[in-house]
Structures are given as structure tokens and as C-alpha cells.
């Protein structure tokens, strides 16, 4: 299954802007990208150690990994991506892997809001278990940020797995509201079958290609056949209009 690239992801190779450099010289800021399609990246940003250490309370110069026990299970976190909001708040995504996990067990995503200023990052809040995760103890396997889905930015995460020759991936939209991030809905962003016994060979890759901010978005699929599906915001959650045309595993 192909990997998704988000144009809004902050590329590690880019240099920091003056605003970011004032409080975190290792936080780069990417150039503006087209709003659509919303695509995801799977390359972890290795240059955001200062933000990660602040988020997890690590000492200066410590390795950018952190271990947390959550509900009796031990997760190992590492930084993945950061998005800078206009008010100098950094939104940090970290990935928590679960060791010795079963096939159906996922990891966990961590989102931190960090206030930037002359003295460095200050942690504003921490939220766990948001967004999409993969199987076999993996957290999200692809992610990215978009400013085109609503008045607040969105984090889009993707995760999935393979079951008896059929691979499927789901993407979750998390609104980065000022007070706290909120999951607003999900959709299948990838499906591929045919490797298993008597399976039909087919594949679908989906991307968000249009949106009416805070009202609806459209997912366009390529692959076995072209499909478009619309999701509409109802009571705080995005719901699919009509029947899901993408097969499951």
C-alpha cells in the first residue's frame, strides 16, 4: 500500500523562520503548500528534541525518547512532527510504541500543546489516545497537518495493518482547538487485497481533495476504480453521506 505525504508537514531539511528561531532553533518551518489534496508523511522529524524534552519533562540534552506506563502497559514515545500555530503555540505529535504487542494491539499517539517564548517552550497540555494507530503495537504510521478543513488547524493521522493478505488503513481527523484537540471523524484511506486465499485483487487509495471548512470534506479514491465520498459534520462528528463504497478486510 502506498505511503501518503502531507504537503503541510514540516520538512526537517528546511531552515527555521525568525519567529520559530526565537524560542526553538531546532524547530523548522516549511514553506506554504497547496491545500489539497491533503497528503500524509511517514518520515519522523528528528530535529525537534527541545520540544519533545519539554513535553515529556526530560532533562536538557537527554535522548529524545520517553517511557510511560498507561493502563498497566509500557509505551515508548518518540517525536514525529510539530506544527506552529499563529500564537506561537507548537502542536507536537509523538508516537508511543507498545512492546510485545499482539497483532491486533495498537500503540498510542500523544499530542502536546507547547507555548513558545523567549525562555523556550512551556508545556500547556497533554492528551493521549487521539488519532489513528496501527497494529502490532504501532502508533500512527502516517501524519500531517492541514489548515484547510476548518477555522482551527487539523492533524490527520493514519494507521492500519494486514490481515491474512488484506491490508487496510484508516485516517482520523483531529481538530486542534484552542483548549484541547478533539477527534472529529475517520475514513478508510487505503485498502489492498488479493494476497490471501481466494481473495479478490483490488486496491483503493484515498485523499481529502476538497472541503467546506467546518461543514464537510470529500475523499477521492484511485485504484481499482475512481470513487468519491463526502463526509458531513453532524453533532461534532463527521459522518459519511450514503453507503461506504470501500470494501473492508
Amino acid at each position: 500500500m502506498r505511503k501518503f505525504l502531507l504537503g503541510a508537514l514540516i520538512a526537517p531539511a528546511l531552515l527555521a523562520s525568525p519567529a520559530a528561531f526565537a524560542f526553538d532553533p531546532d524547530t523548522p518551518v516549511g514553506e506554504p503548500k497547496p491545500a489539497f489534496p491533503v497528503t500524509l508523511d511517514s518520515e519522523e522529524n528528528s530535529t525537534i528534541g527541545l520540544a519533545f524534552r519539554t513535553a515529556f519533562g526530560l532533562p536538557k540534552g537527554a535522548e529524545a525518547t520517553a517511557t510511560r506506563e498507561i493502563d498497566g502497559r509500557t509505551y515508548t514515545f518518540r517525536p514525529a512532527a510539530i506544527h506552529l500555530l499563529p500564537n506561537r503555540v507548537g502542536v507536537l505529535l509523538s508516537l508511543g510504541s507498545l512492546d510485545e504487542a499482539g497483532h491486533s494491539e495498537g500503540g498510542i499517539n500523544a499530542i502536546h500543546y507547547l507555548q513558545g517564548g523567549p525562555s523556550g517552550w512551556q508545556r500547556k497540555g497533554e492528551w493521549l489516545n487521539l488519532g489513528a494507530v496501527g497494529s502490532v503495537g504501532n502508533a500512527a504510521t502516517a501524519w500531517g497537518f492541514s489548515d484547510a478543513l476548518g477555522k482551527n488547524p487539523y492533524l490527520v493521522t493514519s494507521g492500519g495493518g494486514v490481515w491474512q493478505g488484506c491490508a487496510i488503513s484508516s485516517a482520523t481527523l483531529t481538530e486542534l482547538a484552542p483548549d484541547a484537540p478533539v477527534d472529529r471523524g475517520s475514513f478508510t484511506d487505503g485498502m489492498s487485497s488479493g494476497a490471501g486465499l481466494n481473495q479478490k485483487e483490488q486496491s483503493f487509495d484515498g485523499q481529502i481533495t476538497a472541503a467546506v471548512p467546518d461543514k464537510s470534506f470529500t475523499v477521492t479514491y484511485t485504484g481499482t476504480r475512481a470513487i468519491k465520498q463526502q463526509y458531513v459534520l453532524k453533532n461534532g462528528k463527521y459522518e459519511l453521506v450514503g453507503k461506504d463504497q470501500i470494501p473492508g478486510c
Side-chain angles (χ1 to χ4, degrees), residues 195-207:
L197 184 64
N198 298 323
Q199 281 185 2
K200 180 180 179 180
E201 187 173 344
Q202 55 188 332
S203 65
F204 298 91
D205 292 318
Q207 294 177 301

Side-chain angles (χ1 to χ4, degrees), residues 109 130-134 138-142 156-160 170-174 183 186:
N109 301 319
L130 291 170
V133 298
N138 288 310
T141 53
V156 183
T157 50
S158 176
S170 177
T172 296
L173 285 72
T174 304
D183 284 348
S186 61

Side-chain angles (χ1 to χ4, degrees), residues 216-235:
S216 67
F217 66 89
T218 300
V219 180
T220 299
Y221 293 90
T222 58
T224 300
R225 58 192 177 96
I227 296 173
K228 284 189 176 183
Q229 299 196 145
Q230 186 181 47
Y231 291 75
V232 175
L233 187 64
K234 294 182 179 180
N235 299 319

Side-chain angles (χ1 to χ4, degrees), residues 64-81:
T65 60
T67 300
R68 286 279 188 88
E69 184 171 325
I70 302 169
D71 296 330
R73 308 296 298 273
T74 300
Y75 296 82
T76 302
F77 287 89
R78 61 192 187 277

